[in-house]
Amino acid sequence: MTLRSPLRQAVGLGSAKSGTAHWWAQRVSAVALVPLALWFIFSLLLLPNLDYATARAWLQVPTTGFLAILLVGVIAYHSYLGTVVIVEDYAHEEGFKVLGLLLLRFVHVLAAGAAIFAILRVAFGT
Amino acid sequence: MPVRARPISPHLKIYRWQIGNTLSIMHRLTGVGLSIGFLALTYWFVAMAGDPQGYGFAAHLFGTPVGLIAMLAWSFAFFYHLLNGVRHLFWDAGYGFGRSERHASGWLAVAGALLLTLGAWTLLWHFGRL
């Protein structure tokens, strides 16, 4: 017979741990992406072409630059949350999993940083 | 306290194939595809901030057969992930769990994604932008 309570034996065993925060963040970013992504697609479809001058002129419009930065930020966040779950689901070996999670975080921050910096460079014309 | 076998998820190898799990797997696959698409999008913005030669090279890459197939796949993945994502949001709010509703919304997501993909590329072709 053990003196440990049933609660003590259950705590920490579940896969969720801090599940709701992740789940909720995934949903909030999904809701934000619906208008942002639709704006992006239709905004691009409406351009006469996508050559260098046209694309830059489009991105230099303040609203476009602002929304593009929001889009990149929310995509990176949503994509990070989603791919993390996939690594957690399929990478069973602990070292491999930690490496995968670390790599995902670096790649997402790097890509988002590069994209946002590029948008700012175009917007402010340097 | 007796230790019981903890419940586990349905195992893919013995799970009967049906529309529900197929669309769920597709949602995950298109999500991964779109994550890779995010890197392509980043490359496009970075190229735009660089010189015209670099941008021209990026435009050339997206215009190659492989590039066009990737763009076609990304556009379908985008529309499908969007529609099926909204389907998931309805479930999260507690709606649409009935058998016929699940099936109808599932087919709607697939058909809608195909139609929107076709529509977007028809628009591009119609205005001579391909």
Side-chain angles (χ1 to χ4, degrees):
Chain A
M1 196 197 137
T2 173
L3 290 175
R4 288 183 161 190
S5 70
L7 178 66
R8 176 64 190 86
Q9 294 191 339
V11 164
L13 277 180
S15 61
K17 296 185 179 91
S18 56
T20 40
H22 182 284
W23 181 87
W24 183 243
Q26 182 88 72
R27 266 58 184 182
V28 172
S29 54
V31 170
L33 274 176
V34 173
L36 279 174
L38 283 175
W39 158 78
F40 180 71
I41 296 293
F42 284 103
S43 186
L44 283 184
L45 280 175
L46 287 174
L47 288 177
N49 58 61
L50 285 178
D51 64 29
Y52 188 65
T54 316
R56 282 177 65 97
W58 167 75
L59 201 54
Q60 275 165 351
V61 176
T63 343
T64 312
F66 173 65
L67 289 175
I69 288 172
L70 290 188
L71 176 79
V72 166
V74 182
I75 287 182
Y77 188 44
H78 188 77
S79 165
Y80 172 71
L81 292 171
T83 46
V84 155
V85 175
I86 292 172
V87 169
E88 286 172 350
D89 278 357
Y90 302 130
H92 297 305
E93 205 263 307
E94 198 63 23
F96 189 60
K97 185 166 98 181
V98 170
L99 195 72
L101 293 177
L102 210 62
L103 200 68
L104 279 181
R105 187 165 279 208
F106 280 142
V107 167
H108 279 97
V109 172
L110 207 69
I116 290 171
F117 185 58
I119 294 167
L120 289 173
R121 279 183 66 198
V122 175
F124 295 115
T126 52
Chain B
M1 201 179 103
V3 178
R4 292 189 195 142
R6 297 179 63 79
I8 56 170
S9 303
H11 204 279
L12 278 184
K13 284 170 193 161
I14 58 163
Y15 200 80
R16 185 168 64 85
W17 215 257
Q18 49 191 318
I19 179 173
N21 67 315
T22 309
L23 296 192
S24 171
I25 292 166
M26 264 174 70
H27 195 73
R28 188 163 268 205
L29 278 179
T30 50
V32 172
L34 290 168
S35 289
I36 297 165
F38 170 52
L39 298 179
L41 179 72
T42 297
Y43 171 51
W44 186 59
F45 279 129
V46 169
M48 211 190 292
D51 55 23
Q53 286 74 32
Y55 186 84
F57 181 68
H60 163 75
L61 279 186
F62 286 119
T64 58
V66 175
L68 281 174
I69 289 169
M71 299 285 281
L72 188 69
W74 276 324
S75 61
F76 174 76
F78 167 75
F79 288 124
Y80 174 76
H81 202 83
L82 174 75
L83 292 177
N84 200 52
V86 171
R87 185 167 168 248
H88 272 274
L89 288 174
F90 271 100
W91 284 337
D92 295 333
Y95 301 105
F97 280 113
R99 184 185 161 83
S100 57
E101 293 167 295
R102 269 186 288 128
H103 286 192
S105 63
W107 284 114
L108 198 68
V110 173
L114 286 171
L115 277 177
L116 285 169
T117 309
L118 199 70
W121 286 87
T122 308
L123 265 180
L124 287 175
W125 175 77
H126 180 72
F127 290 107
R129 288 169 206 167
L130 280 183

